[in-house]
Amino acid sequence: MTVLYLAHTECDNTLAKISLEALGAAKALAEGLGTDLQVGLIGADVAAAADSVAGCGAKFYGVADPMLADGIYAADLAAAEAIAKASGAEIVVAPATSRFSRALPGLAVRLDGRVDTHLSGLEAKDGKPVARRWFYRQRMEGTLTREERPWIMTLDSGCADAFAGAGSADVEAVAVDLASVRTKPAGMECVSEDEQTIRPDAQLLFVAGAGWTKKQADGAVHVDVAEATIKEFLGTTKSSLGSSKSLVDISGEGGAVISFLTHMHQVGQTGSSPRHPKGLATCCHGEEPHVVGWRFIKERRAVNTDAGCGWAQGKCDVLYVADAFEIMKKVNELLG
Amino acid sequence: MSTDFHIVVCGSIVPDPLQTLSPQDSPQGPVLQNEMMLPAVLDPWAGHALYEAANLAKNNPGSQVWLVALGPKAKLQQVMMAVSQKAPFQLVVADGSASGFTDSFETAKVLSETIDGIAGLDKSKMLLFGGWQSASRGSGAVMQMVGEMLGVTEQFQGVDKITVGGDGSIEVLERVEGGAYQKSVVDGAPAVMGWATGELPEPPNNPQVGMQNMQKNMPALQQAKPADLSGTTLKFESVAVPQQRRETRIVKDASIEDMAKEIVEWIKG
């Protein structure tokens, strides 16, 4: 049984942190199983990435092509298929980046294998790989095994120690024909650094709830003040911004909303479950669905006018019972 | 290329998000406690895919929409009474488990075989829609496998917007890390689109559309074939809800300044 670690390069031809974490998990799994580790790299140029992890002691395969600079499903999958077939590995471990989360499930069909995605843990037990993942949107965690091979697995971020060990890698080039790919990349649409409010690597997640857009003590809504206050805080702290579903839904109903808020900010049952060391929730109310949004936030604090808030009770470490407008204005002053 | 699409939306039911869920063992593996009693809703991501499909069909005359669902038909019937009022579609049902613990490959196999059996479906015009994620298994893997099994290799996941050109080409915005979008252009159908939230609000109920849908969809429910999901060795050693209750310290008698200071120290610390 051979373990193949698959990764794609970033736009600067390096490997992302999540990719190094997946390599750490793949290496530990191979050692636990007492088997060989192989590395397969995909990108426009894979030499630098291979050298950056050459210390893992694996055999290296690479597919390098300008078409692989962008994450086109058909191109990525063709490259992954070529490497997997050259490797002959029975276990494939890869990072759950947006790019590989898109492409690698298709590999299970091409190889007549099976796939399990978004794993939260991976280990060798009694000579077999054992995986952990969440079900029902981070509401319950299961431990699973399977006999089908190849078994393709993608690992979420923050679930393993990142591998470190540079050197000089000898990469076996694998050929792949991408001529039949009908999709063409047309660039990225990114917000500017100043306007960016989704920051996966931020130390703090700031969650804004619908309370920011409700009538305040004077009987009026103050969305303009809310927007300025939140934006000032995000600009100073470089926190990532999350939103409750109720706030996002207001935008669909044509209500007044925070202008820089989109569906992509939504956290919780029907949004994302981000991983940050700290989380600060403001003006959020809620019950079960919000547990999902908090799941991977280590230190949690909330500001709410309701001491019995279901978002906070038993789910956060500290609840400040006060007006978020007033508190965050003062916080901004102190940070300023 | 033509722009009259045959849009197949894959989507099933999930427990109402407000319900408390707990797992329990069964002879077939883990299941939810009182699963058949839990109120169900159309999976939110599948819902977005369906509304985008209906909008696309409305704007491209000659297009048709099918909703293909793998789920227990009694529960599907309840949910479809509501969903049918949202948009015109033809329901196609495979009667089987919609559990989040079913194997994604087996689910994809049933869906692809069910789609293969749709009379009048022109696969050269097919846009295969579905949720990028789900509120059950949440694997984000089924749509890719259904596409591969049907020979559709141009695929997109985390889609929020598509724009059809006059030549039939489709510009797609896919979510990637950091709140950014990757823009791509595919020269036309067939293609797979796994939808994120899209850009459309939930359509209002239209009882007339509901009546028309249910006239076609009730026979589809009655004719649903049993789905075989047994071809897997997937085995669960355990499934558990983590106990994460925290001792919440409630601060309510301090001044705004003191609270703010504490928050700032915590952020900086």
Side-chain angles (χ1 to χ4, degrees), chain A residues 256-273:
Chain A
V257 291
I258 292 152
S259 62
F260 44 89
L261 203 59
T262 72
H263 276 92
M264 285 204 275
H265 291 91
Q266 189 182 328
V267 298
Q269 175 76 28
T270 49
S272 62
S273 304

Side-chain angles (χ1 to χ4, degrees), chain B residues 158-170:
Chain B
V159 176
D160 265 340
K161 186 178 183 183
I162 63 173
T163 308
V164 179
D167 59 352
S169 66
I170 305 169

Side-chain angles (χ1 to χ4, degrees), chain A:
Chain A
M1 187 189 301
T2 301
V3 174
L4 170 66
Y5 160 77
L6 267 183
H8 60 80
T9 58
E10 301 301 304
C11 52
D12 59 358
N13 292 324
T14 62
L15 292 175
K17 181 167 173 276
I18 181 177
S19 299
L20 298 174
E21 291 169 356
L23 177 54
K27 189 170 189 299
L29 179 65
E31 287 167 359
L33 295 172
T35 188
D36 293 335
L37 175 70
Q38 300 180 343
V39 171
L41 297 173
I42 294 167
D45 186 339
V46 300
D51 285 346
S52 73
V53 293
C56 70
K59 175 177 173 58
F60 280 73
Y61 297 95
V63 176
D65 189 292
M67 266 202 76
L68 295 168
D70 302 283
I72 300 299
Y73 170 91
D76 279 347
L77 180 53
E81 181 186 8
I83 289 176
K85 286 181 173 171
S87 155
E90 292 177 287
I91 303 291
V92 179
V93 179
T97 58
S98 63
R99 186 169 166 176
F100 268 1
S101 293
R102 186 186 308 145
L104 290 195
L107 189 60
V109 176
R110 301 250 178 125
L111 301 179
D112 194 24
R114 296 294 185 273
V115 63
D116 286 291
T117 53
H118 296 293
L119 300 187
S120 53
L122 185 56
E123 63 177 329
K125 199 171 170 186
D126 300 328
K128 290 183 178 179
V130 177
R132 283 199 318 275
R133 77 183 302 278
W134 293 87
F135 294 86
Y136 290 95
R137 302 298 294 178
Q138 285 75 46
R139 292 171 75 171
M140 56 195 78
E141 193 175 33
T143 305
L144 53 100
T145 59
R146 60 166 72 242
E147 300 300 322
E148 293 100 340
R149 301 288 185 271
W151 186 6
I152 297 142
M153 295 179 267
T154 65
L155 191 74
D156 272 344
S157 65
C159 300
D161 293 330
F163 175 81
S168 179
D170 183 15
V171 182
E172 181 177 322
V174 178
V176 61
D177 181 8
L178 302 175
S180 62
V181 176
R182 293 192 287 118
T183 302
K184 306 296 176 206
M188 300 289 288
E189 281 195 3
C190 308
V191 289
S192 72
E193 196 170 327
D194 288 341
E195 292 174 343
Q196 185 180 9
T197 55
I198 297 176
R199 301 181 173 103
D201 295 327
Q203 286 296 303
L204 178 70
L205 172 72
F206 181 85
V207 183
W212 284 103
T213 61
K214 303 292 186 197
K215 282 183 182 173
Q216 299 303 305
D218 62 358
V221 293
H222 297 286
V223 173
D224 53 340
V225 177
E227 195 169 288
T229 305
I230 293 170
K231 199 160 189 176
E232 184 181 348
F233 178 77
L234 296 174
T236 308
T237 60
K238 297 299 177 193
S239 302
S240 191
L241 176 62
S243 163
S244 66
K245 183 176 189 301
S246 52
L247 186 50
V248 171
D249 282 350
I250 292 171
S251 65
E253 293 157 9
V257 291
I258 292 152
S259 62
F260 44 89
L261 203 59
T262 72
H263 276 92
M264 285 204 275
H265 291 91
Q266 189 182 328
V267 298
Q269 175 76 28
T270 49
S272 62
S273 304
R275 293 171 189 268
H276 298 276
K278 295 176 182 175
L280 178 62
T282 54
C283 297
C284 300
H285 260 295
E287 299 292 345
E288 192 69 24
H290 295 140
V291 177
V292 176
W294 272 130
R295 178 68 79 199
F296 305 123
I297 305 297
K298 288 178 184 152
E299 295 179 32
R300 310 167 184 173
R301 299 195 176 196
V303 180
N304 201 300
T305 52
D306 178 8
C309 173
W311 171 273
Q313 287 284 350
K315 294 166 193 156
C316 76
D317 306 309
V318 185
L319 168 62
Y320 299 97
V321 183
D323 186 323
F325 279 81
E326 293 178 15
I327 284 201
M328 293 313 296
K329 183 182 171 200
K330 181 59 71 177
V331 165
N332 281 337
E333 284 174 17
L334 294 171
L335 286 168

Side-chain angles (χ1 to χ4, degrees), chain B residues 80-81 84 210-219 221:
Chain B
M80 288 306 146
M81 296 294 282
S84 290
M211 291 285 284
Q212 288 166 356
N213 273 343
M214 288 313 283
Q215 280 176 359
K216 298 175 293 178
N217 295 344
M218 286 303 288
L221 283 156

